[in-house]
Amino acid sequence: MVTIIDRSVWKAEPGRPVEGNWDPQKGGVVIHHMGGGSHPPDSGLHCYGMVKDIQSKHMDPGWRGWLPDWAPGYLETYDDIAYNFVVCQHGDIFEGRGLHVRSAANGTRSIVVSRAESVGANEGFYAILGLLGQEDQPSASMRASIKDLIEYLREHRTYPAGLMIRGHQDVFATECPGNLQPYVDNDSLEPPAPPPPATSVTIISRSRWGARPPVAHERTTWSARTGFTVHYSAGPTTQTPRQIQNYHMDGNGWSDIGYNFLVDAGGRAYEGRGWLTVGAHASGHNTSHVGVCFIGRDGDATPAAKSTIRALYRKANELSGKTLTPTYHGGLPGNSTSCPGADLRTWVQNGMDADDIPIGDSPPPSDGGGGGGMTSVRSVSAQQRAVNALGYSPALDVDGIWGPKTDAGVRWLQSRVGVTADGLWGPATEAAYTAHVGGGTSGGGMTSVRSVISQQSAVNSLGYTPPLGLDGVWGPKTDAGVRWLQGRVGVTVDGLWGPATERAYYSYVDGGAWLTVDGDFGPATISATQRAIGTPADGVWGPASRRALQRHLNRWAHADLVVDGDFGPASVRALQRHLNRMGGAGLDVDGAWGTSTTTALQRTLNRGRF
């Protein structure tokens, strides 16, 4: 049994809202220590106060207190204490950010977690701090508590940790975690074998897989639901729901991801539009049918995936109070398509036989995250913060989800600043709000999505040199740094950090390729392309890779190419159209693969939108 000391006990300050994807199941945990010097357990420093002071130093880089300069957070700023949990030499476990908020201590590198998949170090790993210095040896109590904590995190239903245990030096250029690293290397922190697999399926919510807010949504009722339709993505099993959502919203111009639910090869279920939001998965049948997409190609669907699809079908029947007709995409009238491939098509026709695993009760689906509003100027969470800043009562939860309360709050704000109260935060509302609060750009830039000091910290995290001073003041150096970052993540270079820059930044640090945008189609760019199209990433551009790219363009760009490995002008034109559509590249579609095409490819890969 793990006992965790709550934030309220060590008197934590409230953290600022944290955005970005959070899926520790993809990675696991990263172990840290405090850094240079010594902090023996009998030094008289109270562990509770030490954790509190680390939070103070993280949130205010100018705070000195009595922590030495080598203590965590020196000259950095965070929205909260950067670690999810802290373990002291006495074996006490302190809640930092906790289970529900992504870490900020692991660095911004992309970590390879499988042959064809990478995840951001903060997006995919819990951060655990051992409260000891560089010269200290971890006590047996600390090691045992870290081991117990890892076991607890792996068993958590909503945010389970993956199986990887890494020292900070394994994911970042540092000596951290000091004398804890040998225990990472020799597997001493590895918990006992896990219990048997869960006997129910938990639906991974939109907020957990990092869904963008829908532009709009249309509701339906269970009485209107008559069928259940199975699809496949026709892409690699390494695709993420967010990548599919990006294609649907940016490539097809849809208001959201098209499916009601998605299922991966591991049998995990992801909330798409939810049970009662009209989908965009089958022409003429979106109101009547629940659409479920398997993430993969024909033949990739595993027994676990089929069991989860069957579980979703049984749950739909339970919720509707009737038996829905099971069908597949190509079997619906007016939908001439090979989707979902021969394997799943035959499986549906033969009655969807699979192990019966129920859908768990937690967490409940959110029916598409509550669509509505407008996010082209300001993200939902930024709108919620702005409403609260003007004194709205009761204050909105800053959760990034659009619902009736947020809609009412935005309309209240619009009335207060003197624009039409329609619930849509467009340019007129932004201008009126900015004028009402007296600007708020600290002399330039844009701070509606991210503060100046947070922009400065983000620029530095990508390796900008010389690093910006974290002073919260907008000046020529910060403007240049933000423009540099925008160029690197592949958005319009205007110095204004709006929703587009925010999305591109998180795509870059979480799922992007981290390529240098230099127009060189070398091994690094080739490997990133291979990972995106689901072929072995060996850095060699051979016939197999060219065929895989042609298949990718046929699926995602409707290119209708002959898959022959001859990447001639027709294939290049299809690639250029796809880059224009998904990345706004502005390429001339001339069939000539030159530096500009490679540059656009690198930017699109960095944004995770290929």
Side-chain angles (χ1 to χ4, degrees):
M1 178 69 178
V2 173
T3 300
I4 298 175
I5 298 170
D6 189 84
R7 289 170 61 94
S8 62
V9 176
W10 59 267
K11 302 187 185 308
E13 294 296 325
R16 295 182 286 268
V18 175
E19 297 183 356
N21 305 320
W22 177 226
D23 194 356
Q25 187 172 14
K26 289 183 177 179
V29 301
V30 172
I31 307 298
H32 299 253
H33 77 333
M34 288 184 63
S38 176
H39 171 48
D42 58 350
S43 67
L45 300 177
H46 194 277
C47 299
Y48 287 70
M50 199 72 167
V51 176
K52 167 107 175 132
D53 288 340
I54 291 172
Q55 185 197 36
S56 297
K57 196 160 195 176
H58 280 188
M59 296 182 72
D60 180 4
W63 183 92
R64 297 259 65 79
W66 48 265
L67 284 178
D69 287 346
W70 50 259
Y74 183 52
L75 292 183
E76 296 185 62
T77 185
Y78 302 98
D79 294 313
D80 198 347
I81 187 170
Y83 308 100
N84 297 92
F85 297 93
V86 178
V87 182
C88 75
Q89 292 277 38
H90 306 99
D92 292 330
I93 302 173
F94 297 83
E95 180 188 25
R97 294 186 168 212
L99 292 160
H100 301 92
V101 181
R102 64 183 268 154
S103 62
N106 299 330
T108 55
R109 287 183 180 175
S110 188
I111 309 304
V112 176
V113 294
S114 69
R115 182 181 180 187
E117 184 177 14
S118 299
V119 67
N122 284 325
E123 175 194 7
F125 292 82
Y126 283 101
I128 300 175
L129 172 68
L131 207 59
L132 76 168
Q134 180 73 18
E135 301 171 5
D136 300 324
Q137 291 292 333
S139 68
S141 296
M142 173 182 281
R143 300 196 308 269
S145 290
I146 291 175
K147 185 174 181 177
D148 291 343
L149 176 60
I150 292 172
E151 181 178 19
Y152 166 76
L153 294 175
R154 287 181 178 178
E155 294 176 357
H156 195 267
R157 286 193 65 185
T158 309
Y159 294 100
L163 298 179
M164 299 175 72
I165 302 175
R166 297 290 183 266
H168 193 197
Q169 63 184 249
D170 296 323
V171 301
F172 194 76
T174 177
E175 295 182 353
C176 180
N179 290 323
L180 276 166
Q181 185 65 36
Y183 297 95
V184 173
D185 294 337
N186 66 17
D187 296 330
S188 295
L189 302 179
E190 183 68 41
T199 56
S200 64
V201 174
T202 297
I203 297 173
I204 297 171
S205 67
R206 290 172 62 94
S207 60
R208 182 172 162 199
W209 62 259
R212 293 159 56 179
V215 175
H217 77 175
E218 178 184 353
R219 303 286 288 174
T220 185
T221 62
W222 281 117
S223 62
R225 293 294 203 196
T226 60
F228 182 94
T229 302
V230 176
H231 301 255
Y232 73 163
S233 71
T237 55
T238 55
Q239 280 181 310
T240 65
R242 188 179 65 191
Q243 289 171 332
I244 295 172
Q245 185 190 39
N246 284 341
Y247 172 71
H248 286 178
M249 296 181 73
D250 301 325
N252 292 347
W254 297 349
S255 62
D256 196 0
I257 194 168
Y259 308 110
N260 298 98
F261 296 94
L262 302 94
V263 175
D264 68 14
R268 291 179 287 267
Y270 300 85
E271 179 189 16
R273 296 197 180 196
W275 293 114
L276 292 179
T277 298
V278 175
H281 58 90
S283 178
H285 303 273
N286 290 311
T287 300
S288 58
H289 284 59
V290 175
V292 175
C293 176
F294 167 69
I295 301 174
R297 300 187 176 104
D298 187 21
D300 288 341
T302 61
K306 291 177 179 177
S307 292
T308 298
I309 295 172
R310 178 176 173 84
L312 289 167
Y313 172 65
R314 287 165 59 88
K315 187 67 174 181
N317 289 339
E318 174 189 330
L319 293 172
S320 67
K322 58 190 175 185
T323 301
L324 303 180
T325 301
T327 186
Y328 55 92
H329 190 189
L332 292 172
N335 288 260
S336 179
T337 174
S338 61
C339 179
D343 177 54
L344 284 173
R345 179 172 62 248
T346 301
W347 178 68
V348 173
Q349 289 172 331
N350 290 337
M352 296 173 59
D353 183 46
D355 291 339
D356 282 328
I357 302 176
I359 299 291
D361 294 330
S362 177
S366 62
D367 288 331
M374 176 184 288
T375 58
S376 59
V377 174
R378 188 180 280 247
S379 67
V380 172
S381 57
Q383 293 179 49
Q384 292 166 332
R385 285 194 293 269
V387 169
N388 291 343
L390 292 192
Y392 189 67
S393 181
L396 299 175
D397 291 332
V398 182
D399 55 11
I401 298 174
W402 188 275
K405 292 181 180 178
T406 299
D407 182 81
V410 169
R411 291 173 187 267
W412 171 86
L413 177 146
Q414 289 174 317
S415 296
R416 184 160 183 180
V417 301
V419 294
T420 303
D422 56 8
L424 302 176
W425 193 302
T429 300
E430 181 71 15
Y433 172 76
T434 301
H436 183 85
V437 299
T441 60
S442 299
M446 176 185 287
T447 58
S448 59
V449 173
R450 184 180 281 255
S451 68
V452 172
I453 197 169
S454 184
Q455 293 179 50
Q456 292 167 332
S457 181
V459 169
N460 291 346
S461 75
L462 295 192
Y464 187 67
T465 56
L468 300 175
L470 302 178
D471 56 11
V473 177
W474 189 274
K477 292 182 179 180
T478 299
D479 182 79
V482 170
R483 291 174 184 269
W484 171 86
L485 177 145
Q486 290 175 317
R488 186 159 185 179
V489 304
V491 292
T492 302
V493 179
D494 57 9
L496 302 177
W497 193 303
T501 300
E502 183 79 355
R503 287 193 296 267
Y505 170 72
Y506 274 117
S507 293
Y508 185 85
V509 299
D510 289 341
W514 282 74
L515 296 171
T516 299
V517 181
D518 57 7
D520 177 21
F521 193 66
T525 301
I526 291 171
S527 295
T529 304
Q530 291 169 325
R531 283 191 291 270
I533 62 181
T535 195
D538 58 9
V540 178
W541 193 245
S545 296
R546 293 193 291 268
R547 287 193 295 270
L549 180 53
Q550 288 172 324
R551 284 192 293 269
H552 185 84
L553 293 170
N554 283 345
R555 168 59 179 163
W556 298 103
H558 312 292
D560 198 25
L561 299 171
V562 176
V563 181
D564 57 6
D566 178 14
F567 215 82
S571 296
V572 175
R573 284 193 292 271
L575 172 64
Q576 291 167 329
R577 283 192 291 267
H578 185 58
L579 293 171
N580 287 344
R581 189 179 190 188
M582 295 303 297
L587 294 170
D588 291 331
V589 182
D590 56 10
W593 188 333
T595 302
S596 59
T597 298
T598 300
T599 298
L601 173 64
Q602 291 169 328
R603 286 176 174 156
T604 304
L605 288 167
N606 281 346
R607 295 173 67 188
R609 290 194 171 185
F610 190 67

